[in-house]
Amino acid sequence: MKIAVPLDENRTEVCVSFGRAPYMLFRDTQKNTEEILPNPAADVEGGAGLKAAQFVVDQGAQALITVRCGENAAQVLQAAEIAIYHSQGGAARSDLAALEEGKLPLLTSFHAGFHGIL
């Protein structure tokens, strides 16, 4: 399974903003590989969540771990059948371990989006 996690500038902590996260971690559990890529949506004027969601889809992820997610981005991810898990906050490694242990809950509440308001 390929798992996406939005990362802060330090590249180890889960970013609270999915769309505006500076980086995305992609962990492939079958190949046992990881890749950290710049998030192309981080600095866009509008639609960051949608663009970040499309980036996750384009990278072939089957799961996303995030603190929060907007409704529009969630629709894109759900249409691509990507499971959205609720981050415990803090280190991405902790969330990845919790997911592997089946201890990370699905994210079921999505906000209306910030639309330029942070």
Side-chain angles (χ1 to χ4, degrees):
M1 172 169 47
K2 195 167 192 180
I3 306 161
V5 185
L7 297 178
D8 275 338
E9 296 84 11
N10 63 18
R11 298 180 183 211
T12 60
E13 301 288 316
V14 178
C15 186
V16 296
S17 176
F18 166 62
R20 301 271 177 204
Y23 300 99
M24 290 283 180
L25 165 69
F26 293 95
R27 167 108 173 100
D28 190 322
T29 60
Q30 291 176 331
K31 296 178 182 177
N32 197 28
T33 59
E34 288 185 358
E35 185 174 25
I36 296 175
L37 300 174
N39 176 11
D43 296 321
V44 298
E45 273 191 45
L50 285 172
K51 188 166 185 170
Q54 189 61 54
F55 179 57
V56 169
V57 171
D58 292 346
Q59 293 301 312
Q62 290 94 25
L64 168 70
I65 300 172
T66 187
V67 173
R68 62 184 182 207
C69 185
E71 292 171 344
N72 293 339
Q75 288 175 359
V76 170
L77 296 163
Q78 290 168 336
E81 298 183 358
I82 295 173
I84 307 169
Y85 292 92
H86 190 246
S87 171
Q88 299 171 346
R93 298 265 175 260
S94 296
D95 280 342
L96 289 166
L99 181 61
E100 286 182 26
E101 296 169 5
K103 295 180 180 177
L104 209 58
L106 288 170
L107 183 64
T108 57
S109 178
F110 304 102
H111 62 82
F114 296 113
H115 307 284
I117 302 169
L118 296 176

